Amino acid sequence: MQRSPYPFAEQVNLSQGKELARRGFGYVLQFCRGTCGSEGVWEPNIHERDDGLALLRWLNGEPWVESIGYFGESYLALTGWVLMDALPEKVKGMYLSVYGTDRHVSAYQDGLFRQDILTSWAMENAGKPVTADYLTSCSYMPQIRVDRELWDADLLWYRDWITHPDRDDPYWQQGFWAMLREMPKKVRVPLVIE
């Protein structure tokens, strides 16, 4: 099972699913809310836990499903991590790579926002095509308005990331990000982290 927000990877996912099926595995790919034809509005991190748990519970209740493995990298790993403390009995293992559970650590390095990772990610996942130049976007001032003034988008989640540089800020210490940071303590199935 995988959950993805990336419509550009759909063909890769389908090829992956075909190869797994050739080897006797079922493959379930769910696109995150508001992406690749999935209903709703795309808001990174907001619905991943509820939507992922709903899918897991459904699969867990299906008689044709013997066991569930969850895998993914980057955002697809995030969609696995947020489920870690509530895995149903048929989930037998997870393979999660290229995503740490302490988002502040990956968002800021030496007190500076990681535009190399998160500005480019925001541009690619704005929910609409962004044609602005990446380097121009990184140097745009004030950065808090780059989404509206250069990308013609309204990305509150991006503005949240760039306006909370302090690790002790409640933004990182409460809610979703605090929950995610605690997930490694709640692992109860075999887990490969890469």
Side-chain angles (χ1 to χ4, degrees), residues 110-123:
D110 299 325
L112 297 174
F113 181 68
R114 295 288 311 269
Q115 288 189 312
D116 58 328
I117 298 172
L118 296 178
T119 298
S120 61
W121 193 90
M123 292 174 72

Side-chain angles (χ1 to χ4, degrees), residues 34 39-40 50 71 82 84 94 143 149 156 167 190-191:
E39 294 178 354
D50 292 340
F71 68 104
V82 298
M84 193 62 72
M94 299 181 95
Q143 184 67 197
E149 295 177 4
L156 296 175
R167 180 179 182 74
L191 170 66

